[in-house]
Amino acid sequence: GAGLEKAGVDKHLQEALAAAPERLEEELRLDRREWMTEIGPVDLMCRDCDDGWVAVEIKRAGTIEAVEQLTRYLGFIRADPAKQRCRGILAAQSLKPQAVTLAESRGIACVTVDLAVLRGEREPELTLFG
């Protein structure tokens, strides 16, 4: 069956990141939106600069539950020998510190995204130190 339709900020973030996946990681390119697994759709399936698979889960708020969801998706994706090295990225407008800690312990990258910046509505805030 079809996946659940995203609404609101999640939908807009997904559209913006599908159009510019390199905002998550240099040289990342979109393979497909709403890539189905046995337990639901991964928001974006991408390929990296080495042609490796990258599953991207997009949330307004990155929580422990979002990390758990992406972990489940990765389990199903990696069962396919052709995708056993698939990496995960959790992209969110805000990330809970506990979610980042859990994600890092599982080898999942976390990226903070700003919808207004993605849309070109304003410039990113410049920081002296990252």
Side-chain angles (χ1 to χ4, degrees):
L4 297 175
E5 181 71 24
K6 281 195 174 290
V9 173
D10 286 358
K11 177 182 178 193
H12 297 297
L13 281 170
Q14 186 185 98
E15 290 168 351
L17 289 170
E22 69 280 359
R23 300 298 287 268
L24 295 172
E25 180 179 288
E26 196 172 320
E27 298 186 47
L28 199 65
R29 63 192 188 282
L30 181 67
D31 186 79
R32 190 178 323 154
R33 282 177 65 181
E34 298 291 327
W35 196 83
M36 285 306 296
T37 71
E38 291 87 338
I39 57 171
V42 174
D43 293 328
L44 305 177
M45 273 300 273
C46 298
R47 302 302 286 263
D48 64 17
C49 62
D50 296 321
D51 213 30
W53 290 99
V54 182
V56 180
E57 185 60 26
I58 301 166
K59 299 291 187 190
R60 183 178 50 78
T63 62
I64 286 176
E65 291 80 14
V67 175
E68 294 290 357
Q69 180 181 6
L70 182 51
T71 299
R72 289 189 301 272
Y73 290 156
L74 288 169
F76 279 94
I77 293 165
R78 291 173 178 160
D80 176 348
K83 295 178 184 70
Q84 66 185 358
R85 293 180 165 220
C86 183
R87 297 185 293 116
I89 296 176
L90 174 60
Q93 286 200 134
S94 66
L95 292 160
K96 300 285 185 188
Q98 302 89 339
V100 173
T101 299
L102 180 60
E104 288 174 351
S105 76
R106 295 181 178 180
I108 295 171
C110 293
V111 179
T112 303
V113 293
D114 183 319
L115 185 56
V117 171
L118 289 170
R119 288 178 165 172
E121 296 170 354
R122 70 178 174 81
E123 293 295 313
E125 293 180 21
L126 299 178
T127 55
L128 204 49
F129 303 101

